[in-house]
Structure formats: C-alpha cells, structure tokens
Amino acid sequence: QRGIWYFSSYSEMELESVTVYVTIQDFVADVVSELFFRNTQQVPKETMFVFPVDSETVVHTFYATMGDTRIEAMLWEKEEAQQLFKATSGMENFGYLQNEWDLWGPVFACFLGTLPPNSEVTVSLCYVQELPMQPDGAAQFCWPHDLFPQTNYFRWLSSQENREETESEETESENLHFSIRLNSAHGVSHIAINSSYTPLQYTTPDQTSAVVSLKWPPWMQNDLNLLVYYRGSHTLSAVVERRDPKAPPGSLLGDPVVMVTLMPSIPEVEPSPGHLGEFLFLMDCSLFQDAQVPPEEFPHLNSAHPSICLQNTLLFLLKSLPLGCYFNIYSFGATFKAFYLQSVEYTQESMDNAVGRISSICPDLGGCDLLGLLRFIYSTPLLHGRARQLFIFIQRKISSEEEAVMAEVYRYRDHHRCFCFPTNRCNSFHLSQAMALETKGECVCIHSRMDMTSEAVKCLQRALQPLASGISLHWELPPGLEVSMIRKAPEMIFQGHKSSIYAHIHGQTQDPEVGEGAVTLQYHVGNQSFDYTLRFSLSPSADNRLPVHRMAMMHLLWKLAWEGTSRTEKDIWHNAVKSSLSLGVLSPFTSIVAVRMKHRDAWHNDSLPPDSSMFFSPSCNLVPCQQLWLSRFRPAWFKSTKFWMVQKCQFLLEILDRKTPDTEAFTQLSATCKGKEKLLSLTFLKLVALQKANGSWALTTALASALGLSKADVELQRPSEDVQPTVWATVLALVWLHQYKWKVSWSEILETKACSWLRDQAEVQLDACLESANSLLGCFVEPTIFRI
C-alpha cells in the first residue's frame, strides 16, 4: 500500500476500527478496506479525505457514510465533468490543499464536509496495485501503521510476558479485522510479516492458495510489511483472469486478460561492447555559479568550491566509463545545451574532448527547463541493445512542471533509468526521488559533507551491472485464440528488478478440450542467450472484482492517450471512455465527480454513474473531489511507502549537518585538505586525469611526478626492456591506487578498467612488474590485484 489517509485535524479524528480484505495473486493485490473514524472533539470539524496514489495503483471505489448521508466518488467523461465542477461549491479548497498541505505527489482528495461532535464517519475504499519485488523474489505489500486502531503497546507487551489476555488486547482484536488471501499457480511457500499473525493456512491440497490474518498491528510506529514467497523459479509468472460475463465478447472486459511478470535471471558476465549502455549526464547550471576557474590544465584539482566538486565528479564519471559505450553531457538552466548533437561512442578522442569542455559549462540562474530537456532526450531513438541511463544533478525547483515531468518519465519508464543527485537544499528533492523510483534507479541526496563523487561513482557501478536486453515474448495458444499486447515487454530489465506486461486474449478456441497456453521469455545478457517457457491454465477460477482487468485497463487508457487518441477516432475513444467508467479506472479521458446523497437515493444509484438529472435532485449535491498533484517540498507526516524513508533520510541529513564533527571517514576530493591527506588527494586526482579511456596509463613525466618520483627512477625500475612502457606504467599506477584504496574506496571501478586492459595484453610479465612496483613505491600488494 503506497499511501496514507489524511483528515483535517488528524489527531482529533480517532480511528476506532479497521476491516481490510487483501487478495494477493502473484504480484497484484486487490484491497477492500473500511475505516471507522470518530470526531472526539466537542466542536464540529471540517473533514477531508486524502489518499496518495502512484502509477501502479488504481483506486476504483470510494464512498463515505455519515449518518443518513453517503458521499460517493464516480467517474465522468472529462469535458462533462469540467462543466459539473463549475457548479460545485468548495472547489477552491483544492487551492489550499495544493499550496498549504505538506504533501507531495499525486493524491485522491475528497472534502467530506462538517462532522459534528462525537459523530462518526465510515470510509470505504477499494484499489488494486502491482506489488514491488524484493531482491530475494518476494512480493511486498505494505499498509501504513496510522491506519490501525490506537494501541496501548506497553499494556499489550506486559500481557504477553504474563501470558494473560487483557481488556486492551480483547478490544484491539475486536477492532482489527485484517485478512489476507494468497494465490499463486507456483504455490505459496511462506510469508514474513512484521506483526503478530495467525499461522499460514493452506486452502488447497497443492498449496496454491492460503489465508492468514493479523492478530495485532505492527510494533510501535512501523508500517505493516508483508513479504510473500512463492515456490519454484521466479523467472516468469502468469495470472489469467476470466472475462466479465456481463460484457460483450471482443471487448477488453468481455475477454480474458493475462498479466505476465518477467523476472529474468541475470548472471554476472563481462558485457561485450555491443551491449554496453548509453550514459547521459544532466547538469543543473546553477551548481556552477561563482566558480573561479584557474587557467591550469586541470583547474578542478585545487578548488573546494561546490561547482569544482561537480566538475571533479563529472571528470571521474567520464574516466570510469567502459570503452564501447555511448555518452553525452547536457547542461540545463533556462535552456539546455548538449556537448554533442547526439550520443557519441566512448573513445580516447571523445573522452579527451569531453574532459576539456567540462570547465566551459557556464552558470545559469534563470529558469530550469528539465522538462524540455527530458522531452528532447526521450524523442531521440534508443540505440539498439543499449540501456539508456540518466545521471541528473539538480539543485533548483522545477517550478510548476513537476506533474508534467513525472508524466514524461512515466511514459518512458520502460526505456531508461534515472540516477538523481539533488543537493540537500534542492527544492525538487521529492521529484528527484520519484523519477528514480519510477525508473528503478536511485536517488542520493548530496549533503554538504557528503562526497558527491563517491556517491555518483557508486551509482555508476550499479549502472554498469549486467542487464537483460533483447527481451521478447512468444505465445502458444490453442487454435482460434490470439493475443494482443496492451503493455508490451520493456527494452531491458535491470538486475534485481521485474516488469509486468498485460495482454488481451481474444477469439474462439476451436478445441475446448485444450485448456492450457504457454509463453516463452527470450532475452540476452551480454553475448549469452536465455529462454524460459511457462505453461498456464486458460480456465482460472473467476474473480468478480477483476483486479487484473483494471490494471490492464489503466495501461491501455494511457497508451491510447499517448498515441493521440481523440474524439476524431470515435470508436476507440468511445470504447475507452466506456471501459474506464465501467471499471472505475481514472484515465486521461475521465475525471472524478463525487455526489452527496441520502441513503434512499444511494441504494438506487449504487456504483452507477449518475445521469444529469440526479445532480439537481433536492436530496443530493456535488462534492469537491479530484485527483491532484501536490508540490509541497517538506512533508510533515507523509508516509507513503515509497517516500517516507526518503523523508527520514532528509531529516537525518539535516541533523548530521548540525551535529556531525567536521572530520569524516573519507576525505572529500574537492575539499581543502592539509598535509599528507591533501597530497594523497591531489595525487589521486592527477592519476585519474592521466588514465586513458581504455584503462591504461602512459609512461610519462606527469605520471612519475604525480607519484612523487622522477621519470628516470621509473624507467630504471622497469623489469626489462621486454616489458612495454604502458604495461609498466599501468601496473605502477594500479599498485598506487590499490595501496590507498582505504582512502578512496570507490577507486575500484578505475582498477577494474586497468586490470581488464592488462588481461588483454599479450605476454605481459605481471609478477615481475608487481615486484618492481612494490619495491619502488615501498609497499606490498598481493598478485590478487590483477584478478586473474
């Protein structure tokens, strides 16, 4: 669960009981919840319901009951809904919500009106969502702690120690009804829950279905965290959902839909040049303000200014890229500029050219056109077989374009990955986090004492890990049945991640006796090819709630919107709107409308879109209700599963900023250092600047000087004339780097490049070179340094 409910005067709205039914089928969850609140104050309270949502959640049913009044949210065609909004009083309250509430991101919001003293409101909400996968293959479901009744934990703990039941425990059990049903054709292996729960009970002999219930909420302020483990391979799973018998065959609702979850096994392999990625570095020009750039060849070696730190970071990222990949560098402010018209292959020439242009990036304190830059990048076709990965360094707020930025990122989330580095003063911190999460990347908030270079290179190491590419699915269905892809397979899947695709199964089988289909996943990791086939039943048990159809419908509606479907394509547009309304799936073609009505009207109109005459009935009126984008920077209590940990990190960083001593475990490369540490840092920087694109070093006076030696001494210690000068220089630099790795732990990536180059050389005398290097540098480094 990726959200939390908010009521105005939240602490004065006591949550007295909770009933939740969760059905988890592989990696999709269907949630039905009812929450019973009471106004504990002696004064009336204006009550508001806010539910944060994300791109993997579909809220399809909401209603609230207060006395004999029921408020129900419904979907309406967008243009008609806009006309209804004009007749709805209180819509201006959304301005307050957007500007004053300490929340960020998309939310479902509904104003419930005034709740009298000691009165009650029951909130019912149903949603479906795709579940994230943990690295060990478990499906993860979350529920916020705030949505459990208040608990006297200390009394409960005491009762557990004494093995006695107390009145508090009995009351809690009565107020909490949390049931979870688990289904998987693979079989349910086991679960892990950070709460007290009943034993897992299997309901089928083959253990493909099981149930479990909570006995007690999580401890203290923890959210409920449920991990579900399935049997067998995690490479491929399929969930087929039967058609809605009330819908006409041939439509999405009238035919079966299959959700296929791809979790390819990705071994550690050495990627070939043809499978290396495309790395794009996006630099906020405001980070370069007031930089004093001296005229030396490497001006960034002696400055501690933040912009020079960013120059260092970009230098080391460029030095760490592998030969054969593609890259480009963009700077953005009021406008954006690119080093190259299109991404170029990483060679010695292109690297030298890029390094030479780093100091030419000019400060720009105007606007922040990240949206325009992203649209430009996304409009550029992907290089075949190459993963596109963005490294975004940002400090400024993206003004009012955050929703548009996220819409673009969401649209192309299967085509790229974002690594974001906002500063701790960045007003777009949560946007950066959302971009990284949506694309399965990473967001690192750069604190004033954090080593930006270290954090960025760690992310680059992750970006260089093997991935699955060339992904394709091949279907085997009984004669007469066909598959239409709704959400197709992504271009690539990164290590430790999954991707869910949806397909529409239509047609009429010619052989009713054949009740199985099969899907084969094919992909490449480096030069290796893999395939995996899964057989699945075409006659699953019926699910009248249609969770898979709802998720498929969401993807279909967005696909139609991105393809420019409009009223000019009447049939497609009409069917999309009709399907959206029937399933309660919000789309670019529809809007939410809420109606307040008496119970006698509600029973007659339950779950049906109202007709226009209903809005003007004396017994009902319109209620402000919309899905909004909130842009507040500093949330006070925002505990979305995706964002609350980020907020905690942000607060911890601020505490560290005030209380942490100035000394840190790792010397910041751009900071002004003293004595030996300064010398080590400068030596390291110079060595990095001298490393070639292929990972080697040339035997030059500059290299000898960086190591505190003369070139004559270096030449004299060369083991023999048979040892190539470049090999000797590379071993020497590699030994120095390894000797001081404890100072700069992330030099690993540079060592890896050097070792790879050495392994490719013919007839090298590595043992002799290592012995001479140890003698010359006065150290002892083991032969394991070469990783042979």
Side-chain angles (χ1 to χ4, degrees):
Q1 202 276 343
R2 296 178 171 80
I4 181 169
W5 286 270
Y6 283 86
F7 283 84
S8 61
S9 306
Y10 177 73
S11 61
E12 300 164 357
M13 297 293 298
E14 183 175 339
L15 179 58
E16 295 192 345
S17 68
V18 171
T19 300
V20 181
Y21 297 98
V22 182
T23 301
I24 296 176
Q25 176 83 29
D26 286 357
F27 287 90
V28 63
D30 181 20
V31 181
V32 178
S33 60
E34 183 173 82
L35 299 100
F36 182 82
F37 288 88
R38 182 183 299 276
N39 178 12
T40 60
Q41 300 299 299
Q42 298 306 308
V43 294
K45 288 295 178 181
E46 288 294 322
T47 310
M48 176 167 49
F49 176 90
V50 180
F51 176 65
V53 295
D54 65 14
S55 61
E56 296 173 349
T57 301
V58 174
V59 176
H60 58 84
T61 303
F62 167 78
Y63 57 89
T65 304
M66 296 177 289
D68 65 345
T69 300
R70 170 177 166 130
I71 294 176
E72 182 171 357
M74 304 174 183
L75 288 186
W76 203 251
E77 191 277 322
K78 177 162 282 187
E79 292 185 8
E80 296 179 0
Q82 296 298 326
Q83 295 299 317
L84 295 174
F85 292 155
K86 295 177 182 179
T88 305
S89 61
M91 293 295 289
E92 66 278 359
N93 288 326
F94 285 130
Y96 164 81
L97 181 63
Q98 290 177 298
N99 298 324
E100 301 299 330
W101 271 49
D102 288 327
L103 298 177
W104 187 91
V107 299
F108 168 87
C110 185
F111 287 85
L112 304 182
T114 303
L115 193 63
N118 200 36
S119 57
E120 307 157 352
V121 57
T122 301
V123 172
S124 299
L125 182 134
C126 305
Y127 64 90
V128 297
Q129 65 180 181
E130 290 183 18
L131 298 180
M133 184 187 74
Q134 294 297 293
D136 59 3
Q140 181 185 30
F141 173 81
C142 295
W143 182 266
H145 173 271
D146 303 78
L147 294 185
F148 289 108
Q150 295 296 312
T151 305
N152 189 328
Y153 283 98
F154 296 103
R155 180 182 298 179
W156 175 79
L157 184 61
S158 175
S159 72
Q160 290 294 96
E161 291 174 349
N162 298 327
R163 298 181 181 273
E164 296 176 358
E165 291 188 355
T166 66
E167 180 181 352
S168 173
E169 187 175 0
E170 291 172 354
T171 302
E172 182 65 31
S173 177
E174 293 173 0
N175 293 346
L176 173 64
H177 304 276
F178 204 112
S179 177
I180 305 164
R181 176 173 292 277
L182 309 170
N183 300 308
S184 176
H186 289 284
V188 178
S189 172
H190 62 283
I191 61 173
I193 310 180
N194 62 337
S195 179
S196 176
Y197 59 95
T198 61
L200 186 67
Q201 181 179 355
Y202 291 103
T203 58
T204 54
D206 57 2
Q207 298 187 344
T208 57
S209 182
V211 294
V212 66
S213 298
L214 296 189
K215 294 165 50 177
W216 200 258
W219 172 251
M220 298 301 285
Q221 297 300 315
N222 292 329
D223 296 340
L224 175 71
N225 190 28
L226 165 66
L227 299 179
V228 186
Y229 294 86
Y230 303 114
R231 301 186 188 281
S233 171
H234 294 161
T235 303
L236 202 58
S237 69
V239 178
V240 179
E241 188 172 86
R242 281 184 176 178
R243 61 181 293 268
D244 182 353
K246 299 188 296 293
S251 66
L252 183 64
L253 279 177
D255 286 330
V257 166
V258 58
M259 170 185 173
V260 179
T261 303
L262 316 177
M263 300 161 282
S265 175
I266 302 176
E268 291 289 342
V269 298
E270 189 75 23
S272 63
H275 291 89
L276 292 170
E278 178 189 22
F279 300 90
L280 306 179
F281 304 103
L282 284 58
M283 322 298 287
D284 182 348
C285 291
S286 69
L287 288 166
F288 291 83
Q289 59 182 317
D290 301 325
Q292 300 297 321
V293 182
E296 290 84 4
E297 180 181 3
F298 296 105
H300 34 280
L301 297 183
N302 299 301
S303 175
H305 191 277
S307 65
I308 306 303
C309 176
L310 188 58
Q311 292 181 29
N312 286 341
T313 299
L314 189 50
L315 168 69
F316 299 146
L317 287 172
L318 286 171
K319 290 287 182 175
S320 301
L321 292 176
L323 279 177
C325 74
Y326 279 70
F327 77 100
N328 205 345
I329 299 172
Y330 298 88
S331 58
F332 63 93
T335 58
F336 60 86
K337 298 178 181 178
F339 274 27
Y340 307 103
L341 293 177
Q342 57 186 9
S343 295
V344 296
E345 185 178 358
Y346 181 77
T347 63
Q348 184 65 44
E349 181 181 2
S350 62
M351 185 200 73
D352 287 341
N353 180 274
V355 168
R357 297 174 64 178
I358 291 176
S359 59
S360 67
I361 299 178
C362 299
D364 182 347
L365 304 182
C368 191
D369 190 22
L370 178 61
L371 177 61
L373 175 53
L374 290 176
R375 284 175 172 167
F376 174 79
I377 291 172
Y378 295 154
S379 68
T380 305
L382 287 173
L383 298 172
H384 179 67
R386 299 180 185 272
R388 174 173 288 171
Q389 308 197 63
L390 277 57
F391 286 68
I392 305 174
F393 297 84
I394 188 168
Q395 178 169 264
R396 286 176 294 185
K397 183 174 177 60
I398 315 297
S399 62
S400 61
E401 296 178 329
E402 291 180 335
E403 184 175 6
V405 168
M406 283 308 302
E408 290 294 310
V409 171
Y410 173 71
R411 179 176 182 177
Y412 294 97
R413 62 178 178 166
D414 290 333
H415 299 260
H416 74 300
R417 181 160 62 168
C418 293
F419 294 90
C420 299
F421 306 92
T423 66
N424 65 325
R425 296 181 177 85
C426 178
N427 288 327
S428 295
F429 176 80
H430 294 292
L431 176 65
S432 299
Q433 176 68 10
M435 292 170 63
L437 288 168
E438 194 65 63
T439 58
K440 299 179 174 63
E442 189 169 341
C443 177
V444 180
C445 179
I446 302 300
H447 183 250
S448 58
R449 292 186 183 86
M450 286 177 67
D451 188 340
M452 180 189 295
T453 305
S454 174
E455 297 302 322
V457 173
K458 286 177 185 176
C459 288
L460 180 60
Q461 286 179 304
R462 181 181 168 193
L464 290 172
Q465 291 176 344
L467 54 85
S469 62
I471 298 170
S472 62
L473 290 177
H474 303 275
W475 300 85
E476 180 184 332
L477 296 176
L481 294 183
E482 296 180 352
V483 166
S484 297
M485 300 303 296
I486 296 173
R487 185 187 184 195
K488 64 179 183 179
E491 297 288 336
M492 69 284 297
I493 298 179
F494 299 99
Q495 197 169 54
H497 294 289
K498 72 172 181 66
S499 182
S500 295
I501 65 98
Y502 294 85
H504 176 195
I505 302 176
H506 54 90
Q508 186 65 44
T509 178
Q510 298 175 11
D511 186 358
E513 298 297 323
V514 180
E516 273 194 341
V519 59
T520 298
L521 167 67
Q522 294 182 340
Y523 61 95
H524 303 282
V525 179
N527 290 322
Q528 299 182 31
S529 298
F530 299 85
D531 64 82
Y532 183 87
T533 299
L534 174 71
R535 303 201 68 83
F536 55 87
S537 172
L538 291 172
S539 302
S541 58
D543 189 334
N544 296 329
R545 298 186 53 77
L546 302 171
V548 176
H549 276 79
R550 293 184 200 275
M551 294 303 303
M553 179 59 66
M554 180 190 72
H555 289 290
L556 175 61
L557 293 168
W558 277 103
K559 176 184 175 182
L560 293 176
W562 291 332
E563 292 174 351
T565 303
S566 65
R567 284 181 178 271
T568 57
E569 299 165 278
K570 290 184 179 180
D571 290 341
I572 298 177
W573 183 89
H574 177 76
N575 289 333
V577 173
K578 184 177 179 181
S579 299
S580 176
L581 296 175
S582 62
L583 282 176
V585 178
L586 185 65
S587 73
F589 309 106
T590 53
S591 292
I592 303 170
V593 175
V595 180
R596 180 185 287 111
M597 64 191 87
K598 299 299 181 182
H599 270 305
R600 61 178 179 270
D601 295 322
W603 289 117
H604 291 294
N605 297 281
D606 190 21
S607 302
L608 293 175
D611 57 38
S612 58
S613 62
M614 178 183 173
F615 292 108
F616 303 101
S617 168
S619 60
C620 68
N621 54 23
L622 299 179
V623 176
C625 183
Q626 276 191 9
Q627 187 156 309
L628 304 170
W629 183 273
L630 308 186
S631 302
R632 291 285 286 179
F633 166 57
R634 297 179 57 85
W637 297 104
F638 190 59
K639 285 182 127 183
S640 164
T641 304
K642 280 192 172 184
F643 297 109
W644 73 279
M645 280 297 293
V646 179
Q647 180 199 339
K648 283 188 177 180
C649 292
Q650 176 76 359
F651 290 161
L652 287 173
L653 290 175
E654 292 174 357
I655 293 172
L656 288 171
D657 194 26
R658 295 192 296 269
K659 298 183 178 180
T660 303
D662 289 339
T663 57
E664 293 186 346
F666 301 105
T667 303
Q668 293 192 39
L669 297 180
S670 300
T672 301
C673 304
K674 295 182 179 181
K676 186 176 181 179
E677 288 190 354
K678 178 178 180 180
L679 180 60
L680 289 174
S681 295
L682 291 178
T683 301
F684 180 80
L685 291 167
K686 290 177 180 178
L687 279 179
V688 171
L690 293 169
Q691 189 175 25
K692 301 295 184 181
N694 60 11
S696 68
W697 278 267
L699 186 57
T700 62
T701 301
L703 175 64
S705 176
L707 299 176
L709 305 168
S710 68
K711 186 177 182 184
D713 289 337
V714 173
E715 287 278 13
L716 187 63
Q717 287 292 329
R718 184 156 57 116
S720 70
E721 292 185 358
D722 294 335
V723 174
Q724 293 295 322
T726 304
V727 170
W728 166 233
T730 300
V731 171
L732 197 60
L734 179 61
V735 168
W736 191 97
L737 283 177
H738 194 78
Q739 180 185 6
Y740 292 104
K741 180 184 289 188
W742 63 275
K743 277 290 181 187
V744 190
S745 60
W746 50 267
S747 62
E748 175 80 16
I749 197 169
L750 301 178
E751 291 185 28
T752 300
K753 285 186 69 172
C755 291
S756 178
W757 181 83
L758 286 170
R759 288 196 299 268
D760 291 340
Q761 307 310 303
E763 299 181 4
V764 292
Q765 303 175 28
L766 292 181
D767 290 341
C769 288
L770 180 60
E771 183 179 353
S772 294
N774 278 328
S775 174
L776 185 60
L777 295 174
C779 59
F780 183 76
V781 174
E782 297 280 357
T784 53
I785 185 178
F786 300 119
R787 302 164 196 181
I788 296 177

